[in-house]
Amino acid sequence: MAEFLFEIGLEEVPARMIAGAQAELEQRVVKMLERERLVRSGAVTKSFATPRRLAVWVEGVAEQQEDVAEELVGPSVKVAYKDGVATPAAAAFAKKAGVDLSALKTITNAKGEYLAATLVKAGRGAAEVIAAEMPKELAGIYWAKNMYWRAGRPERFVRPVRWMVAMLGEKTVPVEFGGYVAGGVTYGHRVLFGEQAIELKAPADYEDALLGGYVIANVEVRRQRIRKALDKVTRAGDPQGSGLRWREDHELVDKLTQLTEWPSVLLGGFEKEYLALPEEVLVTVMRDHQNYFAVEERDGKLAPYFLAVLNTEADEAGVAVIRHGNERVLRARFNDARFFWEFDQRVSLNERFMLLENVTFQKDLGSYAVKTGKVRKVAAALAGRVVERGLEVDVLALDDAARLAKADLTAELVKEFTELQGVVGGLYARAQEFPTSVGDAIYDQYKPESMEDGVPRTTEGALLAIADKTDTIAGMFGLGLEPTGSKDPFALRRAANGIVKILAETKVTLPLKLDEIAEMGSYDSAVVAKVRGFFVERLEFYLREARGQAYDVVKAVLAAGASDVRDSVARAEAVTAMRGSDDFVAVISAFKRMKNILAQAREKGIAAGVAMNAALLTEPTEKALADRSAELADRVYTLRAEKSYKAALEQIATLRPQVDAFFEAVMVMAPDKAVRANRLALLEKVLGDFSGIADFSEIVIAG
């Protein structure tokens, strides 16, 4: 057994692609080694990644495949021998198997006696296998964008290959890909170590050897180095202990981890006068355009500093030069932002609204002015529904917000910083002294942009966000542009996820229904049906991914009704809470049995009675089931109306003794046609009375 190391060196790979490729390469290498019988399942592995390399290390790889014995079955004995003499069929089989006639044996299977031969397939050397299979695994890695870099060659990869390492123990494996043959030589940091080669003696030397070349190959070690350096540099820049701290940003930490091989951090500053600009603008410039971390004071207010993560190491003089350069670039960006902010204020949002006629939303759906009209209509309908149900809504503020929501698309600041769309509109609304409810709704209109993002803070913001997302989804579905497979160019899944999350998590406590929302814009009925199904699919996703509900619980709950988000969440949580109860599991099993019996009866053309007839209940146990289920049905219905779903399920679970006794003593498919139809009607009634919370037949039960 030996350790195996594979590394592929590349031109710098985009940061967003590295983590996925690192995980996929590790998975592919391990599966390949398992498939080729070179490593056992559960082998210890490590993966590494930097902007210039992907690598995998595997422990306990066999240097040779084991021989495999395979039994080859030939003709039947009757065909192979006539009067004890081998026929041409036997000779042909022996030749095919590569053995002498005398080596053939007789086996007995379900069809009778047959000739057989045992073949031993010799195992190949691990180096031979890896050299043959590894290029296929590399070519199979998914990249969002691939490129050709060798004229007339078929290889495509995310970036040009520059070197490869493949070592099994102390020996190299000649894997060939992208014009390179793997060896035992890797390379360090492009600037700090230059083009010097690093010769590896064994796979175990990999991490330490690269450290000597100013490369931290372990992603997690690099991430922690960045975080510690951010803490240390911030403390050093706050000698008075005033409470300065870097603003936590997990996404930016991850991004910079993938952008660097030997990270270091420096603290820079900017003039306090720039703090007069909105914090959102300053942070966007620092974070999204320069990859800088914002620094804040103890009370959370922005401080006139920034933290830059470098992919290098420099002395004090070098750091001063780098700091000066970063400060100069940031100052220029802030000056641009300040100019656009002041320039935009010359035109009010009301005037900008008129300019939306000239801004295209989608070529077949018209301008943003057209979209705004539709969004106002849906928002007004939503407001009417929620007001009817007793929730306070500032209807005028909601309409103003819907009217002005897209006005910032004509602003220079948004054209320069597109990621601030909506946010800028909200900031301008505040600066132009619109009511706070209007500014907040505009500011939050695109929330949530992911399952991790927050929901709008106000009822008006929530309704505006729902109206805007619904109109986008319905409009695109109307053009036949719905998502297919992994393709979703208009981010419609994200929009629908946002609607579901808003309905589940905002202060809009009333049970707004997905099908109602789809109908509010007076869209074509076929479009509404498609959108409704799309919403249900997204609700299923939300319950599984955001709420952690089991797949079968989600299926069971949505089969009983999927239009009301909050109600679906509550029912799923109740079923999950009860599924560990023995009585509940037993009742679920019985319900599954009932459903199967009814399905089989329908397949055979046997109809259930129109209604259960108590006079035809002949067995004590079926009478007991009918009486007890009728008694419980009223109680369960009341609890369901009160949304007390767990209590309702607890009541259903008490039906177990009667259900068990019924199936033990009663034959549903009785010879008497009237009795049989009545018993089927009883089962239909029991299922109908108690399946309003979930379709229990969808719940998976052990065994």
Side-chain angles (χ1 to χ4, degrees), residues 377-419:
K377 182 178 180 180
V378 177
L382 285 170
R385 295 289 178 90
V386 299
V387 169
E388 286 173 6
R389 292 166 178 170
L391 190 71
E392 289 187 12
V393 180
D394 188 334
V395 177
L396 294 177
L398 174 59
D399 186 61
D400 265 350
R403 180 173 62 88
L404 302 174
K406 308 303 178 185
D408 67 354
L409 293 175
T410 66
E412 297 302 319
L413 190 60
V414 169
K415 293 175 185 177
E416 182 70 14
F417 305 108
T418 55
E419 56 272 58

Side-chain angles (χ1 to χ4, degrees), residues 20 90 141 171 327 343 420-421 475 487 536 574 580 583 627 644 646:
I141 295 175
K171 297 178 181 178
E327 290 175 341
F343 181 82
L420 288 176
Q421 182 178 332
K487 296 181 179 179
V536 173
D583 287 344
D627 292 343
S644 301
K646 186 171 183 293

Side-chain angles (χ1 to χ4, degrees), residues 316-497:
E316 189 173 337
V319 168
V321 172
I322 296 171
R323 179 186 296 110
H324 176 73
N326 281 270
E327 290 175 341
R328 182 169 53 82
V329 171
L330 186 62
R331 188 179 300 111
R333 298 293 287 170
F334 281 169
N335 281 329
D336 288 345
R338 181 165 59 185
F339 170 78
F340 293 133
W341 173 268
E342 294 172 352
F343 181 82
D344 285 340
Q345 298 308 312
R346 301 174 189 176
V347 182
S348 70
L349 286 179
N350 284 320
E351 292 173 293
R352 292 189 180 283
F353 165 66
M354 305 301 293
L355 300 175
L356 291 177
E357 291 282 359
N358 302 317
V359 183
T360 301
F361 167 55
Q362 202 275 343
K363 63 182 180 67
D364 295 314
L365 295 175
S367 68
Y368 268 99
V370 174
K371 177 176 175 60
T372 295
K374 293 179 180 178
V375 171
R376 291 176 73 181
K377 182 178 180 180
V378 177
L382 285 170
R385 295 289 178 90
V386 299
V387 169
E388 286 173 6
R389 292 166 178 170
L391 190 71
E392 289 187 12
V393 180
D394 188 334
V395 177
L396 294 177
L398 174 59
D399 186 61
D400 265 350
R403 180 173 62 88
L404 302 174
K406 308 303 178 185
D408 67 354
L409 293 175
T410 66
E412 297 302 319
L413 190 60
V414 169
K415 293 175 185 177
E416 182 70 14
F417 305 108
T418 55
E419 56 272 58
L420 288 176
Q421 182 178 332
V423 171
V424 166
L427 295 173
Y428 284 176
R430 295 174 197 169
Q432 295 171 23
E433 299 184 349
F434 280 87
T436 301
S437 54
V438 174
D440 288 348
I442 295 173
Y443 189 101
D444 290 344
Q445 65 180 291
Y446 294 106
K447 290 186 174 183
E449 296 191 47
S450 68
M451 281 300 177
E452 294 73 37
D453 193 16
V455 294
R457 295 161 292 170
T458 65
T459 302
E460 294 78 19
L463 297 179
L464 175 58
I466 292 171
D468 181 39
K469 297 178 196 310
T470 299
D471 176 72
T472 298
I473 293 168
M476 294 303 177
F477 269 63
L479 296 175
L481 298 175
E482 57 263 35
T484 56
S486 62
K487 296 181 179 179
D488 186 10
F490 300 101
L492 302 185
R493 291 192 183 100
R494 184 172 66 187
N497 289 344

Side-chain angles (χ1 to χ4, degrees), residues 126-444:
E128 177 189 350
V129 173
I130 293 170
E133 298 300 320
M134 197 66 216
K136 302 174 190 176
E137 302 302 330
L138 290 173
I141 295 175
Y142 170 77
W143 300 99
K145 290 184 178 180
N146 270 328
M147 64 180 290
Y148 294 105
W149 72 95
R150 300 173 65 212
R153 300 293 298 178
E155 297 96 342
R156 298 178 72 224
F157 215 62
V158 64
R159 289 293 184 270
V161 177
R162 289 294 175 252
W163 74 86
M164 286 193 299
V165 173
M167 299 185 72
L168 186 64
E170 297 180 357
K171 297 178 181 178
T172 60
V173 180
V175 175
E176 186 173 354
F177 185 79
Y180 288 85
V181 177
V185 173
T186 186
Y187 294 87
H189 193 285
R190 190 193 296 274
V191 176
L192 298 177
F193 201 68
E195 296 300 319
Q196 300 177 62
I198 300 174
E199 293 192 16
L200 301 173
K201 295 181 179 179
D205 299 337
Y206 181 69
E207 282 190 79
D208 288 340
L210 281 179
L211 283 175
Y214 298 96
V215 173
I216 301 172
N218 188 300
V219 174
E220 190 55 40
V221 172
R222 212 159 61 246
R223 179 181 289 108
Q224 292 307 314
R225 177 182 171 117
I226 290 173
R227 296 187 69 88
K228 290 177 180 178
L230 289 168
D231 290 336
K232 181 179 179 181
V233 172
T234 304
R235 285 194 302 269
D238 185 24
Q240 307 302 321
S242 59
L244 287 183
R245 62 194 179 199
W246 60 280
R247 184 166 288 183
E248 183 65 62
D249 190 331
H250 294 288
E251 288 186 9
L252 187 54
V253 170
D254 289 343
K255 179 180 180 181
L256 288 163
T257 299
Q258 302 293 14
L259 282 173
T260 58
E261 291 190 317
W262 192 259
S264 62
V265 174
L266 67 78
L267 178 71
F270 55 87
E271 290 77 8
K272 290 185 178 181
E273 64 188 70
Y274 292 115
L275 294 177
L277 284 168
E279 182 177 297
E280 294 88 344
V281 174
L282 298 176
V283 172
T284 297
V285 171
M286 287 189 283
R287 180 190 191 276
D288 296 347
H289 293 258
Q290 301 301 130
N291 291 327
Y292 297 161
F293 289 89
V295 177
E296 61 186 18
E297 298 173 354
R298 184 179 284 114
D299 59 4
K301 290 183 179 179
L302 210 60
Y305 302 101
F306 66 89
L307 290 159
V309 176
L310 312 176
N311 186 29
T312 188
E313 193 176 74
D315 57 22
E316 189 173 337
V319 168
V321 172
I322 296 171
R323 179 186 296 110
H324 176 73
N326 281 270
E327 290 175 341
R328 182 169 53 82
V329 171
L330 186 62
R331 188 179 300 111
R333 298 293 287 170
F334 281 169
N335 281 329
D336 288 345
R338 181 165 59 185
F339 170 78
F340 293 133
W341 173 268
E342 294 172 352
F343 181 82
D344 285 340
Q345 298 308 312
R346 301 174 189 176
V347 182
S348 70
L349 286 179
N350 284 320
E351 292 173 293
R352 292 189 180 283
F353 165 66
M354 305 301 293
L355 300 175
L356 291 177
E357 291 282 359
N358 302 317
V359 183
T360 301
F361 167 55
Q362 202 275 343
K363 63 182 180 67
D364 295 314
L365 295 175
S367 68
Y368 268 99
V370 174
K371 177 176 175 60
T372 295
K374 293 179 180 178
V375 171
R376 291 176 73 181
K377 182 178 180 180
V378 177
L382 285 170
R385 295 289 178 90
V386 299
V387 169
E388 286 173 6
R389 292 166 178 170
L391 190 71
E392 289 187 12
V393 180
D394 188 334
V395 177
L396 294 177
L398 174 59
D399 186 61
D400 265 350
R403 180 173 62 88
L404 302 174
K406 308 303 178 185
D408 67 354
L409 293 175
T410 66
E412 297 302 319
L413 190 60
V414 169
K415 293 175 185 177
E416 182 70 14
F417 305 108
T418 55
E419 56 272 58
L420 288 176
Q421 182 178 332
V423 171
V424 166
L427 295 173
Y428 284 176
R430 295 174 197 169
Q432 295 171 23
E433 299 184 349
F434 280 87
T436 301
S437 54
V438 174
D440 288 348
I442 295 173
Y443 189 101
D444 290 344

